[in-house]
């Protein structure tokens, strides 16, 4: 059944050299290998939705950085961390990173976390209180070289973090408050981009091609195994707090994917890991040459997922 397929969780290092100085940001922090770290409410909430097994401690960030050769970053070379959104499979073991590393999140995240009662907080307080600085993109301390929000591509609100059009942090509402995606320029002349799509949706086949209206409720909703076999029951759960907004954000992703020089990758895009042969706790080197390497070919061929 679909619910028992293993799920990829991507984390990325965004590296930028400007004026002879290199900055490195971790985009998403993966998942915790031991969910009891999330506290009783947090681990119960996760267990109710997913089966968690076989997440080796060595595949958990930041420990994972010690097992990659060469490491794309170390705790000493990281400049900061950016979350696509404040869910447990994206903030990982936040408390194991140095508290001096700044954490940046999308606008709306702080109100959501701070405004939720303790037992319902999307981030446990002992994680959330750990970094010395948490800023929402665009705020003082979380602006980089950016100035204000701009329309870029199909996105209405994008922040030019390095000030040169190379790294846009873009609001992509729907999945949860503060959800954001990132458009990263990975080569110039010609310009090519990787769009880190976070949890805009949870499979390649949701945003490419964009589903027809009749398929929409199916792709946004799912059934817990306890409700019966997937094929026999109508899904009553949804991955998104605002399904209407989520559709719009998915459509934006689809539109960007239509560009020859953009490749979108959502955080749980299992097909990418399969096509590139990336296993648990492994990495692929830089994405500067994704186009010449043909990493978008699988999508262009319209390969259909394995029957589940
Ligand atoms: Zn996720």
């Amino acid at each position: 059944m679909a619910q028992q397929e293993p799920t990829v969780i991507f984390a990325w290092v965004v590296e930028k050299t400007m004026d002879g100085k290199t900055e490195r940001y971790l985009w998403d922090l993966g998942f915790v290998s031991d969910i009891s770290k999330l506290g009783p409410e947090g681990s119960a909430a996760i267990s109710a939705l997913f089966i968690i097994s076989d997440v080796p401690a060595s595949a958990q960030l930041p420990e994972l950085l010690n097992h990659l050769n060469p490491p794309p970053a170390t705790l000493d070379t990281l400049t900061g961390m950016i979350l696509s959104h404040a869910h447990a499979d994206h903030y990982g073991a936040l408390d194991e990173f140095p508290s001096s590393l700044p954490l940046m999140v999308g606008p709306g995240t702080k109100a959501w976390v701070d405004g939720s009662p303790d037992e319902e907080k999307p981030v446990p307080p002992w994680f959330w209180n750990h970094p010395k600085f948490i800023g929402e993109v665009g705020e003082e301390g979380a602006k980089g070289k950016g100035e204000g929000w701009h329309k870029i591509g199909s996105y209405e609100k994008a922040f030019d973090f390095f000030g040169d059009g190379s790294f846009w942090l873009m609001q992509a509402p729907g999945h949860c408050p503060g959800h954001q995606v990132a458009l990263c320029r990975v080569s110039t002349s010609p310009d090519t981009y990787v769009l880190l799509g976070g949890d805009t949706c949870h499979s390649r086949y949701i945003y490419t091609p964009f589903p027809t209206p009749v398929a929409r409720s199916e792709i946004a909703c799912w059934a817990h195994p306890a409700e019966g076999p997937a094929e026999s029951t109508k899904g009553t759960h949804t991955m998104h707090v605002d399904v209407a907004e989520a559709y719009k954000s998915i459509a934006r992703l689809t539109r960007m994917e239509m560009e020859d020089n953009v490749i979108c990758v959502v955080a749980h895009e299992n097909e990418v890991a399969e096509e590139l042969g990336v296993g648990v706790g492994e990495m692929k080197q830089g994405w500067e040459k994704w186009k010449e390497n043909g990493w978008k070919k699988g999508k262009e061929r319209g390969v259909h997922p394995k029957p589940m």
Side-chain angles (χ1 to χ4, degrees), residues 18 23 25 104 137-150 158-169:
M18 286 182 101
E23 297 189 355
Y25 293 87
M104 284 168 271
V137 173
E139 274 183 353
E140 210 48 52
K143 295 166 87 141
K145 294 184 165 57
E147 287 175 14
W149 294 91
H150 302 268
F159 201 84
D160 183 9
F161 191 75
F162 293 129
D164 65 352
S166 62
F167 186 46
W168 293 91
L169 295 166

Side-chain angles (χ1 to χ4, degrees), residues 108-123 128:
T109 307
K110 284 185 183 180
W112 177 37
V113 178
D114 294 336
S116 302
D118 271 4
E119 61 283 3
E120 291 170 24
K121 282 192 188 303
V123 188
W128 190 245

Side-chain angles (χ1 to χ4, degrees), residues 207-223:
Y207 73 87
T208 176
F210 190 60
T212 58
V214 285
R216 291 183 187 183
S217 64
E218 300 299 328
I219 58 92
C221 302
W222 54 282

Side-chain angles (χ1 to χ4, degrees), residues 201-252:
C201 56
H202 295 74
S203 161
R204 165 183 300 180
Y205 300 98
I206 294 174
Y207 73 87
T208 176
F210 190 60
T212 58
V214 285
R216 291 183 187 183
S217 64
E218 300 299 328
I219 58 92
C221 302
W222 54 282
H224 186 268
E227 294 174 289
E231 56 278 8
S232 72
T233 181
K234 178 91 179 149
T236 55
H237 300 273
T238 173
M239 291 288 189
H240 308 289
V241 292
D242 187 332
V243 174
E245 281 296 329
Y247 286 140
K248 288 186 206 163
S249 289
I250 295 167
R252 291 190 182 99

